[in-house]
Amino acid sequence: TLAYALANRQGATSSPDRTEECVQTALELFRLCDGSGDLELELPARVRQIGYLLELDDLAGADVALETLARLCADSHDPRAQAYVPLERSRRLALEGSFREAEELTAEAARLGTRLRDSTIPLQTGAQLIGMRWAQGRIREMHPELKRFADGYAALPVFRAALAVSYCEAGCDADARRELRLLASRDFQDIPRDNVWLLAMAFLSEACAYLEAGDHAAVIYRLLAPFDGRNVVSPDAIFAGPLARY
């Protein structure tokens, strides 16, 4: 059906190059789901929509989208859906600097995630805690988890980029330079241009600043320039502030 096609398209094409298009795809999908009552398709799209709106700096729109998600999840018997709401509420609180309350909601989402099979919730809650520690200037505390994620999820170089920042914070410059050098191959072209590309580049930008790696920083600046005005986010997990910061 058209709704399934739109849902698959939205999930498969998420990247900063197509964020505005994904927002419009979601609106069309919601219109179709309103008629069919298909929450299985609608809820994941609602979750993605929050991230798109945060990236586009529409915080008011993201808040409305979050409350809509919460209302729909209350009507759903899908345990996976129940974990979406504390994840998103945690991200919103962390955005405001309310880290203690945010961590409580992340822990709630993690508890819900342990009941699910083949769930990405543990990965998302882990990423959320990494993002909070980064914002607090404490990402080095997450080094064991970052090393495990970087080694275990080779297809997600964002974790290796975060690992480089943790090495920087810990004063392990040689290790940080090694990670940066690995990711900078072919002017960072080997980093997938997906829904965590902006986050990976933000981590790498910060590593470049720590290490005074001007040549690499210039390449990152050029790559990020088309997205000026955006915020750095990751799906269901991290809000890392304005791209202009990096």
Side-chain angles (χ1 to χ4, degrees), residues 1-239:
T1 67
L2 178 57
Y4 276 100
L6 289 172
N8 289 334
R9 180 182 180 187
Q10 186 199 44
T13 62
S14 292
S15 82
D17 301 291
R18 307 186 73 167
T19 301
E20 293 94 341
E21 177 185 334
C22 286
V23 169
Q24 296 306 311
T25 298
L27 294 176
E28 176 64 12
L29 177 60
F30 300 155
R31 186 184 66 78
L32 293 171
C33 289
D34 281 345
S36 66
D38 192 339
L39 287 178
E40 183 180 352
L41 282 181
E42 184 174 0
L43 288 175
R46 291 280 179 187
V47 172
R48 289 192 290 268
Q49 185 80 333
I50 295 169
Y52 300 145
L53 294 172
L54 287 174
E55 181 185 326
L56 295 174
D57 204 33
D58 184 358
L59 270 62
D63 286 344
V64 171
L66 174 52
E67 294 312 312
T68 301
L69 174 70
R71 176 176 55 79
L72 292 172
C73 284
D75 296 334
S76 169
H77 300 294
D78 181 356
R80 194 181 307 269
Q82 305 303 320
Y84 289 151
V85 176
L87 275 173
E88 293 296 347
R89 291 202 186 283
S90 173
R91 173 161 61 178
R92 190 65 179 85
L93 285 167
L95 186 160
E96 298 171 349
S98 301
F99 294 112
R100 183 173 62 82
E101 296 89 342
E103 285 189 46
E104 291 173 358
L105 286 169
T106 299
E108 178 185 342
R111 285 193 297 272
L112 292 169
T114 60
R115 306 172 190 171
L116 305 173
R117 295 181 59 186
D118 302 322
S119 172
T120 61
I121 298 298
L123 183 62
Q124 290 162 318
T125 55
Q128 202 158 67
L129 192 55
I130 289 166
M132 283 189 263
R133 292 293 176 266
W134 183 28
Q136 294 169 312
R138 299 166 53 195
I139 197 172
R140 63 190 177 279
E141 297 175 14
M142 301 298 296
H143 180 83
E145 290 83 359
L146 285 168
K147 186 71 168 63
R148 186 173 71 253
F149 285 151
D151 292 341
Y153 296 95
L156 292 173
V158 63
F159 288 118
R160 195 157 297 281
L163 180 63
V165 176
S166 77
Y167 278 130
C168 289
E169 266 196 17
C172 302
D173 288 9
D175 293 313
R177 289 185 191 281
R178 182 190 65 240
E179 301 298 342
L180 178 60
R181 186 171 59 252
L182 285 171
L183 293 169
S185 173
R186 299 195 317 123
D187 284 347
F188 303 98
Q189 293 303 311
D190 292 331
I191 298 177
R193 206 150 166 122
D194 55 16
N195 56 7
V196 290
W197 181 81
L198 283 180
L199 181 61
M201 301 311 290
F203 278 126
L204 290 169
S205 175
E206 191 158 301
C208 287
Y210 270 107
L211 300 170
E212 298 182 348
D215 290 346
H216 291 322
V219 174
I220 293 173
Y221 183 87
R222 175 173 54 81
L223 291 171
L224 292 179
F227 306 106
D228 186 37
R230 301 280 186 92
N231 291 316
V232 176
V233 302
S234 70
D236 317 324
I238 295 174
F239 180 94

